[in-house]
Amino acid sequence: MKNHVIVTGAAGVLGQAVTDVLTQAGYAVTGIDRAEGPAIATEGTYLGGVDLADPGATVAAVDQAIRTNGALAALVNVAGTFRWETVADGDVATWAMLFDINLRTAVNAVRAALPSLRQGGGAVVNIGAASAIKAGAGMGAYAASKAGIAKLTEALSEEEKDNGVRVNAVLPSIIDTPANRADMDGADFSRWVSPAQVASIIAFLLSEDAIAVTGACIPVTGRC
Ligand SMILES: NC(=O)c1ccc[n+]([C@@H]2O[C@H](COP(=O)([O-])OP(=O)(O)OC[C@H]3O[C@@H](n4cnc5c(N)ncnc54)[C@H](OP(=O)(O)O)[C@@H]3O)[C@@H](O)[C@H]2O)c1
């Protein structure tokens, strides 16, 4: 049975939590990220310096991962970023930048991984955002890019049903990260979802227990 999972954005906060939870669950994890190395040691194989917005670099990294750890059981698309800008006062270039980093990276990784995922069944979990359901002020460009993740998830799940590949997404609200704590000093952090809680839902979606679930975009919002 295949047990190799690629986690993109593996050097980041959620990527490290996903790597830890999946490693504990017995998967062999390859982390791929543009950062040369994760801030804290992660288990498994790590491929740094990879810009997943570049299709050629993505194919090369996914192929290297498969040569090292075998055919893919799953792909978890965590790579992404955030900007708060109003439509009127923000930079129009932000829309393209967030599209590239939040959506194009996932499309490139999926296209590179699909041939291997289709061999004996596989799963994809994408990271959307709760704000893509109802965007607040300053969230337009970010939420639009994450709405793209939801539509990628829905379309791909339909396309891959007969190929044995399930495709789902989690939609976190504010995750309890050091960056968010610094940006929102004074907020009630206990209401936020933890990286480990988001990672647990991702692990469930990859598991046999979720074999009947595909095309789902699941809000993971703690008490927000
Ligand atoms: N934090 C939240 O509250 C929250 C809420 C909802 C959804 N999300 C989503 O959850 C995911 C993880 O968030 P996080 O807080 O863990 O973010 P993070 O700590 O910034 O981690 C994201 C990682 O993705 C990498 N990355 C970005 N662009 C890349 C590219 N083109 N190629 C390869 N790697 C790339 C980043 O590298 P660099 O450091 O070099 O950019 C970083 O290591 C993101 O998709 C985010 O949008 C987060």
Side-chain angles (χ1 to χ4, degrees):
M1 184 158 159
K2 297 189 295 183
N3 79 332
H4 176 204
V5 181
I6 287 178
V7 177
T8 75
V13 175
L14 180 58
Q16 291 182 27
V18 171
T19 299
D20 289 347
V21 166
L22 295 183
T23 302
Q24 292 294 318
Y27 293 99
V29 175
T30 302
I32 302 179
D33 201 293
R34 70 180 171 189
E36 290 298 338
I40 60 170
T42 59
E43 301 185 67
T45 305
Y46 181 79
L47 302 178
V50 180
D51 180 3
L52 292 160
D54 176 342
T58 305
V59 167
V62 169
D63 286 353
Q64 185 179 341
I66 292 168
R67 280 197 304 276
T68 305
N69 286 325
L72 289 175
L75 166 69
V76 185
N77 282 313
V78 181
T81 194
F82 176 76
R83 289 291 184 283
W84 191 101
E85 288 181 0
T86 62
V87 176
D89 296 331
D91 185 343
V92 74
T94 300
W95 290 72
M97 183 275 286
L98 289 176
F99 183 95
D100 279 351
I101 292 184
N102 287 340
L103 185 55
R104 184 189 293 260
T105 55
V107 173
N108 285 341
V110 158
R111 286 166 56 92
L114 268 180
S116 185
L117 290 170
R118 286 172 176 163
Q119 295 167 16
V124 176
V125 176
N126 296 317
I127 315 302
S131 59
I133 300 169
K134 173 74 170 77
M139 302 289 278
Y142 175 75
S145 69
K146 290 297 190 178
I149 284 288
K151 296 304 137 184
L152 166 68
T153 301
E154 291 170 359
L156 188 65
S157 72
E158 293 297 331
E159 292 166 7
E160 294 302 318
K161 271 180 182 167
D162 292 338
N163 293 325
V165 179
R166 297 183 301 107
V167 186
N168 295 292
V170 294
L171 315 182
S173 51
I174 303 170
I175 302 174
D176 187 1
T177 66
N180 282 336
R181 286 191 180 214
D183 286 346
M184 288 172 268
D185 194 21
D188 180 356
F189 308 143
S190 74
R191 303 194 75 85
W192 296 350
V193 67
S194 72
Q197 288 170 331
V198 180
S200 292
I201 303 301
I202 293 168
F204 165 72
L205 288 170
L206 297 187
S207 74
E208 285 292 306
D209 288 340
I211 201 74
V213 182
T214 192
C217 294
I218 301 175
V220 183
T221 54
R223 294 189 297 128
C224 281

